[in-house]
């Protein structure tokens, strides 16, 4: 079953059956103001941080599903009938009204065709201004004049998400609204920077700024009293819950189209006046839309492919890169799953995001690497979750300080000890640096001096050495890296037990480091880290082979994890893929290991993380044994490591196998399987329920997953095999035997390279 299709030309996903089983989301905004919205205009906006500067309110995980949002109602003033331009919140029967949602590149358009009135609402945030524009067009398709009204609706949030959800003492009486000159201002009285405005290009006939006055008692956004009556109450109040409602009555002749632009912005009424003056000119609205379009076209122009596989083209040329960019721009904490209660950067996730797309976004990748280097403790481990603002002087970014006493942490409190360190976090940063340098040619980047989180400073090159030294020091009795709080697998909590995956990662990071050391001619580093690499390689050979595949590690008391005698968690994807990618496995063992992975873990939706699922809690292995079988880290198809298997298969020269797995996971390929997948087919999801779960094949958590970056990286660098090196662009494809070849336009390091790969055996 499908609910929509890819419009390749416009780079839109068009949902023409809007009664989806779950919300399908999109991201608006490229800089400071951001909104996450779904296919029915549900969602929320924030400024810089979804935790401390929320603009609109959202009731996540609730019923009715994913409300409120940024809505526009249309009312027929002759009949009193009303509907919304997005299907929800009014929810007209779909056999009477035609609804479409188009998710595009940083904009979403909702369309509605009902009773001879064709309407659309495009949401977007211009690159230049922190304002969300709601560009509304209403056309009379009938043959008689119509008398209509239009009403906007959004619910303002207290800035601080915890205050907004937990302590109404703080939020309810410290938020006020007022209306003046066509502009609603919401002020958060306690906060120096706490202002939002809502306005429109026209002079409103009506307004409401108090939520409950507009909605009315015992009602919802589905049937607001004011819309039903066709009359707002001109409400405004200090204290309470507030909304952005502006109404306009108008007449529209047959064939005529009316246009209204609503503006939800950051700042005081004064700011609203300026923005309103600017976007009252519809040419400015169109220009803002075109600038977004150009922004994305310029990005995509960095790399385009034409392969024999249309789904791969759809992903690589548009949606996969879009997802990876969304990740590197906003990190991971704004979605409908993570609704903004955390902020800052997850160390390992961000490092991988930064590693994967320096071609299309070198500046943001570099910024993220610098921030992560600043979040490195001098001992060589990363702060697992931290806010770069802790190290910045920008006072405005600091959390709101509440008048009820909440102890203020000191800078030193932010630096957690080794007991909270994850063993893999900082290792990812080494290839992030080397990939960045290979892509940009900026060798001196490694000489940049950056502070350590706990004081002192050093060059990036020195930071890299501390990271490698930390992993060399933190080893267990087998010489394998300790798992610590967790390794890449958040739910594998080995503490003093040992992680094979991290030892392979260490080896991989050492390889990357040594390549750069050669270029830098740093003899001392070459000597020291070559010896370290040899030791690590010997450890891998000596300790980690299980006969048919590689172990996942050892518990603290020395039990093997992921061995052939284990009834559960017998084999794990991560350690086997990394044994190959790191070069530890070699061809023979690597082939055997990946064959085993394939034999035990392959499904029609991708490769499971491990199997058979754990069902017996085992504290020495960790939380993974307490996760329901088939969900999350316990034997689901965890998407993020799937591209590791594509890379590994390509390194083994098995392009057919890589492509098969690529297609199994491919969201676009599942466009016709939504009755099973449920989630959006234009985004990789964090995981897909595995074979041991009753909802096998159901995908969860779109957008915010490292799969975005890794799928792009593995497909382009390994499967298509085009990757930058220090002094050349390498073309080393590993494509399916049935492909006659592919074309690629790469505008990276070697400006505008046209690559044409032919399969000589075809
Ligand atoms: C989540 C986390 C990521 C972790 C993965 C596996 O995606 O964000 O850091 O590596 O789960 O546990």
């Amino acid at each position: 079953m499908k609910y929509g299709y890819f419009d390749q030309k416009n780079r839109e996903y068009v949902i023409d059956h809007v009664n989806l089983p779950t919300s399908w989301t999109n991201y608006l905004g490229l800089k400071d103001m951001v909104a996450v919205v779904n296919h029915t205009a549900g969602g929320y906006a924030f400024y810089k941080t979804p935790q401390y500067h929320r603009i609109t309110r959202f009731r996540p995980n609730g019923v009715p599903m994913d409300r409120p949002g940024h809505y526009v109602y249309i009312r027929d003033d002759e009949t009193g009938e009303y509907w919304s331009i997005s299907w929800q919140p009014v929810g007209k029967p779909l056999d009477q009204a035609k609804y479409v949602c188009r998710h595009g590149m940083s904009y979403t358009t909702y369309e509605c065709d009902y009773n001879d009135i064709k309407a659309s609402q495009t949401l977007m945030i211009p690159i230049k201004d922190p304002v969300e524009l709601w560009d509304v067009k209403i056309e009379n398709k009938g043959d008689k004049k119509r008398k209509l009204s239009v009403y906007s609706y959004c619910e303002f949030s207290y800035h601080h998400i915890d205050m907004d959800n937990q302590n109404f003492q703080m939020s309810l009486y410290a938020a006020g609204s007022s209306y003046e000159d066509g502009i609603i201002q919401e002020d958060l009285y306690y906060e120096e920077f706490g202002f939002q405005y809502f306005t429109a290009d026209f002079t409103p006939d009506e307004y409401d700024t108090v939520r409950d006055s507009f909605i009315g008692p015992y009602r919802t956004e589905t049937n607001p009293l004011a819309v039903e009556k066709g009359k707002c109450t001109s409400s405004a109040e200090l204290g309470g819950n507030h909304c952005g409602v502006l109404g306009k009555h108008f007449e529209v002749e047959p064939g005529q189209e009316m246009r209204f632009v609503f503006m939800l912005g950051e700042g005081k009424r004064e700011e609203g006046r300026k923005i309103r003056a600017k976007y009252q000119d519809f040419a400015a609205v169109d220009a803002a839309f075109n600038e977004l379009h150009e922004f994305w076209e310029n990005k995509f122009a960095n790399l385009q492919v034409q392969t024999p596989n249309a789904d791969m083209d759809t992903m690589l040329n548009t949606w996969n890169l879009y997802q990876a960019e969304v990740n590197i721009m906003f990190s991971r904490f704004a979605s409908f799953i993570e609704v903004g209660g955390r902020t800052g950067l997850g160390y390992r996730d961000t490092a991988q995001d930064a590693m994967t797309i320096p071609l299309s976004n070198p500046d943001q990748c570099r910024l993220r690497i610098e921030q992560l280097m600043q979040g490195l403790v001098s001992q060589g481990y990363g702060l697992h979750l931290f806010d770069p603002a802790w190290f910045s002087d920008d006072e405005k970014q600091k959390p709101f300080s509440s008048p009820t006493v909440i102890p203020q942490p000191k800078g030193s409190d932010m630096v957690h000890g080794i007991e909270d360190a994850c063993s893999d976090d900082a290792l990812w940063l080494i290839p992030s640096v080397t990939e960045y340098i290979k892509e940009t040619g900026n060798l001196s980047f490694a000489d940049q001096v950056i502070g350590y989180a706990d004081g002192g400073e050093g060059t990036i090159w020195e930071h890299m050495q501390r990271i490698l030294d930390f992993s060399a020091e933190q080893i267990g009795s087998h010489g394998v890296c300790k798992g610590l709080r967790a390794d890449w697998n958040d739910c594998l909590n080995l503490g003093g037990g040992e992680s094979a995956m991290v030892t392979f990662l260490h080896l991989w990071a050492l390889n990357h480091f040594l390549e750069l050391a050669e270029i830098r001619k740093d003899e001392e580093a070459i000597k020291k880290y070559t010896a370290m690499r040899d030791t690590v390689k010997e450890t891998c050979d000596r300790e980690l082979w299980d006969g048919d595949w590689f172990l996942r590690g050892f518990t603290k008391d020395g039990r093997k994890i992921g061995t052939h005698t284990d009834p559960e968690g017998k084999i794990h994807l991560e350690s086997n893929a990394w044994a190959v990618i790191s070069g530890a496995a070699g061809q023979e063992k690597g082939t055997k290991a990946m064959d085993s992975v394939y034999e035990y873990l392959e499904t029609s939706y991708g490769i499971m993380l491990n199997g058979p699922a754990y069902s017996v809690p085992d504290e020495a292995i960790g939380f993974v044994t307490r996760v329901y079988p088939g969900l999350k880290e316990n034997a689901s198809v965890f998407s993020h490591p799937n591209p590791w298997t594509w890379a590994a298969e390509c390194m083994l020269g098995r392009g057919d196998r890589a492509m098969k797995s690529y297609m199994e996971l491919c969201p676009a390929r599942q466009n016709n399987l939504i009755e099973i997948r449920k989630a959006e087919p234009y985004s990789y999801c964090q995981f897909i329920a595995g074979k041991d779960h009753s909802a096998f094949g159901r995908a969860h958590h779109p957008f915010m997953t490292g799969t975005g970056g890794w799928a792009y990286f593995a497909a382009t660098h390994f499967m298509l095999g085009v990757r930058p090196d220090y002094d050349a662009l390498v073309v080393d494809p590993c494509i399916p035997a049935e492909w006659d070849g592919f074309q690629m336009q790469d505008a990276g390091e070697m400006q505008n390279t046209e690559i044409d790969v032919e399969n000589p055996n075809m």
Side-chain angles (χ1 to χ4, degrees):
M1 188 193 289
K2 66 177 181 172
Y3 287 79
Y5 61 92
F6 290 92
D7 174 343
Q8 308 288 4
K9 185 167 156 285
N10 293 308
R11 300 190 197 275
E12 288 176 348
Y13 188 87
V14 184
I15 302 164
D16 52 6
H17 291 71
V18 289
N19 53 344
L20 296 172
T22 180
S23 280
W24 289 8
T25 48
N26 193 18
Y27 286 78
L28 318 178
L30 296 168
K31 273 167 78 184
D32 294 334
M33 186 163 169
V34 179
V36 194
V37 292
N38 75 358
H39 63 292
T40 60
Y44 59 94
F46 61 91
Y47 182 72
K48 289 192 178 174
T49 139
Q51 185 173 15
Y52 301 122
H53 205 122
R54 189 63 76 88
I55 294 176
T56 49
R57 190 175 277 158
F58 186 59
R59 279 178 277 282
N61 202 18
V63 282
M65 187 170 90
D66 297 328
R67 287 192 189 181
H70 299 179
Y71 302 133
V72 174
Y73 300 91
I74 297 176
R75 183 175 191 275
D76 185 328
D77 285 337
E78 283 161 325
T79 63
E81 197 187 8
Y82 60 90
W83 61 100
S84 43
I85 300 184
S86 47
W87 180 42
Q88 299 296 323
V90 176
K92 277 269 164 222
L94 292 174
D95 56 357
Q96 293 171 22
K98 175 80 189 129
Y99 283 95
V100 170
C101 164
R102 297 172 186 271
H103 282 315
M105 301 292 106
S106 298
Y107 68 89
T108 291
T109 300
Y110 307 96
E111 294 174 353
C112 168
D113 204 336
Y114 178 64
N115 202 2
D116 284 340
I117 298 296
K118 196 166 174 237
S120 70
Q121 173 193 3
T122 296
L123 299 180
M124 66 171 151
I125 297 172
I127 298 177
K128 292 191 182 125
D129 295 304
V131 60
E132 186 185 82
L133 303 178
W134 307 7
D135 186 4
V136 172
K137 292 174 183 158
I138 300 175
E139 188 187 349
N140 182 354
K141 304 283 282 181
D143 50 16
K144 64 179 178 69
K145 183 159 103 180
R146 301 285 290 271
K147 286 186 174 174
L148 305 175
S149 298
V150 65
Y151 296 94
S152 63
Y153 181 78
C154 64
E155 187 176 333
F156 287 113
S157 169
Y158 202 73
H159 275 172
H160 195 303
I161 189 79
D162 290 344
M163 299 297 168
D164 201 58
N165 282 296
Q166 291 165 9
N167 187 353
F168 301 138
Q169 276 206 86
M170 302 306 305
S171 56
L172 265 188
Y173 314 115
S177 55
S178 60
Y179 175 87
E180 197 184 297
D181 298 341
I183 306 175
I184 292 170
Q185 177 177 275
E186 144 107 344
D187 76 80
L188 306 175
Y189 197 56
Y190 286 154
E191 283 185 61
E192 197 182 341
F193 306 104
F195 295 92
Q196 265 92 235
Y197 63 84
F198 191 88
T199 186
D201 70 286
F202 53 86
T203 302
D205 297 325
E206 304 185 20
Y207 69 89
D208 259 316
T209 76
V210 175
R211 180 191 68 186
D212 300 342
S213 302
F214 176 74
I215 299 278
Y218 303 102
R219 289 168 177 259
T220 70
E221 301 91 357
T222 301
N223 56 350
L225 188 59
V227 178
E228 190 176 292
K229 285 186 170 169
K231 187 85 197 109
C232 290
T233 66
S234 309
S235 59
E237 199 166 86
L238 299 185
N241 291 299
H242 305 275
C243 62
V245 175
L246 297 174
K248 185 81 187 161
H249 308 292
F250 60 97
E251 293 182 354
V252 55
E253 300 288 345
Q256 191 189 1
E257 184 183 84
M258 306 290 287
R259 190 169 179 185
F260 307 92
V261 176
F262 296 96
M263 305 164 207
L264 166 65
E266 173 62 22
K268 293 187 176 178
R269 180 171 282 115
E270 277 319 303
E271 190 56 31
R273 271 189 234 284
K274 284 189 225 146
I275 291 290
R276 184 185 195 199
K278 177 171 178 180
Y279 292 105
Q280 260 169 345
D281 179 359
F282 294 148
V285 179
D286 295 337
F289 185 83
N290 290 338
E291 278 168 30
L292 284 173
H293 179 73
E294 272 166 38
F295 173 91
W296 282 108
E297 287 308 313
N298 286 339
K299 281 223 176 285
F300 294 127
N302 283 307
L303 195 145
Q304 290 288 286
V305 300
Q306 298 81 42
T307 74
N309 188 307
D311 288 331
M312 185 179 224
D313 289 3
T314 299
M315 294 311 296
L316 292 182
N317 290 339
T318 302
W319 290 96
N320 190 175
L321 184 66
Y322 184 60
Q323 180 174 5
E325 285 280 353
V326 165
N327 276 244
I328 194 80
M329 286 191 272
F330 310 134
S331 191
R332 295 292 169 73
F333 303 128
S335 68
F336 280 20
I337 304 291
E338 283 246 32
V339 276
R342 295 200 288 170
T343 201
L345 303 177
Y347 208 96
R348 79 162 72 91
D349 295 357
T350 309
Q352 290 170 84
D353 292 345
M355 188 194 87
T356 46
I357 54 163
L359 171 64
S360 68
N361 204 339
D363 294 342
Q364 187 70 4
C365 289
R366 178 186 177 134
L367 174 70
R368 290 299 191 218
I369 295 170
E370 289 167 353
Q371 289 169 330
L372 293 172
M373 287 290 175
Q374 174 70 74
L376 190 79
V377 176
S378 53
Q379 204 186 331
Y381 63 88
L383 297 180
H384 186 64
L385 175 65
F386 77 103
D387 191 339
W390 295 345
F391 306 106
S392 126
D393 297 328
D394 184 355
E395 278 300 317
K396 285 188 201 167
Q397 285 192 24
K398 294 271 157 54
F400 154 71
S401 116
S402 160
T404 45
V405 176
I406 299 174
Q408 285 295 302
K410 292 191 283 299
S412 52
D413 298 341
M414 312 286 194
V415 177
H416 64 67
I418 193 170
E419 63 284 357
D420 288 323
C422 290
S423 50
D424 66 318
D425 273 348
L427 282 172
W428 299 105
L429 210 44
I430 308 259
S432 307
V433 173
T434 57
E435 289 299 326
Y436 172 78
I437 295 176
K438 284 179 195 169
E439 192 60 68
T440 60
N442 181 1
L443 276 166
S444 62
F445 181 53
D447 298 316
Q448 190 173 321
V449 175
I450 295 191
Y452 290 102
D454 55 343
E457 61 179 25
T459 61
I460 286 187
W461 189 237
E462 285 159 3
H463 281 64
M464 291 165 84
Q465 296 177 41
R466 300 227 177 161
I467 294 169
L468 294 170
D469 293 349
F470 177 79
S471 294
E473 285 152 16
Q474 294 296 321
I475 52 174
S477 57
H478 299 86
V480 173
C481 290
K482 286 184 187 163
L484 305 182
R485 174 84 180 245
D487 64 15
W488 171 86
N489 187 331
D490 267 334
C491 297
L492 201 77
N493 316 111
L494 302 177
E498 293 160 85
S499 163
M501 180 193 168
V502 175
T503 287
F504 294 134
L505 267 189
H506 190 202
L507 182 61
W508 184 61
L510 281 160
N511 290 336
H512 278 265
F513 176 86
L514 281 165
E515 267 176 31
L516 185 54
E518 293 284 352
I519 300 221
R520 292 172 62 87
K521 299 194 177 26
D522 184 337
E523 295 307 329
E524 210 180 309
I526 293 173
K527 195 159 162 246
K528 173 173 171 188
Y529 292 98
T530 303
M532 188 182 283
R533 177 172 67 182
D534 293 345
T535 309
V536 175
K537 175 75 171 65
E538 279 159 27
T539 306
C540 296
D541 293 342
R542 191 181 64 237
E543 304 289 350
L544 298 177
W545 180 241
D546 192 56
D548 285 318
W549 59 81
F550 288 90
L551 298 174
R552 185 63 174 84
F554 301 94
T555 60
K556 199 172 170 199
D557 54 13
R559 269 188 293 141
K560 290 178 179 173
I561 303 170
T563 180
H564 59 284
T565 50
D566 278 346
E568 299 185 339
K570 188 192 265 303
I571 174 167
H572 295 240
L573 181 168
E574 309 100 301
S575 46
N576 287 291
W578 278 103
V580 177
I581 299 171
S582 66
Q587 186 72 21
E588 196 188 322
K589 282 184 183 166
T591 305
K592 216 170 180 186
M594 292 312 292
D595 282 347
S596 301
V597 164
Y598 204 71
E599 181 187 338
Y600 287 94
L601 302 178
E602 193 248 359
T603 78
S604 52
Y605 305 109
I607 306 220
M608 299 197 310
L609 188 59
N610 43 49
Y614 289 103
S615 66
V616 183
D618 183 339
E619 304 309 334
I621 295 177
F623 202 67
V624 61
T625 59
R626 289 187 179 276
V627 178
Y628 285 132
L631 295 186
K632 298 276 286 175
E633 282 87 344
N634 190 10
S636 79
V637 174
F638 212 91
S639 303
H640 181 153
N642 267 256
W644 301 343
T645 70
W646 317 337
E649 293 292 2
C650 288
M651 289 181 72
L652 296 169
R654 302 198 294 187
D656 284 332
R657 177 74 70 77
M659 192 64 196
K660 186 160 189 291
S661 298
Y662 180 89
M663 286 311 291
E664 283 166 350
L665 190 76
C666 185
R669 198 266 306 174
Q670 296 174 14
N671 192 40
N672 296 348
L673 296 175
I674 301 304
E675 72 281 12
I676 299 168
R677 178 179 171 86
K678 309 273 192 215
E680 40 272 70
Y682 48 86
S683 165
Y684 286 99
C685 288
Q686 187 201 65
F687 77 94
I688 296 166
K691 278 195 281 202
D692 301 296
H693 193 270
S694 52
F696 175 42
R698 187 181 300 166
H700 298 265
H701 304 194
F703 275 105
M704 304 280 102
T705 155
T707 326
W710 261 104
Y712 193 76
F713 186 77
T716 54
H717 283 47
F718 290 88
M719 298 173 72
L720 303 181
V722 180
R723 51 182 179 263
D725 208 338
Y726 290 106
D727 52 2
L729 187 68
V730 176
V731 182
D732 177 23
C734 186
I735 56 177
E738 66 181 33
W739 280 22
D740 53 6
F742 68 87
Q743 284 79 45
M744 179 187 275
Q745 296 79 44
D746 183 322
E749 193 190 21
M750 314 272 174
Q751 285 299 310
N752 296 323
T753 314
E754 184 77 37
I755 297 163
D756 197 344
V757 171
E758 285 176 18
N759 180 351
N761 299 325
M762 281 297 286

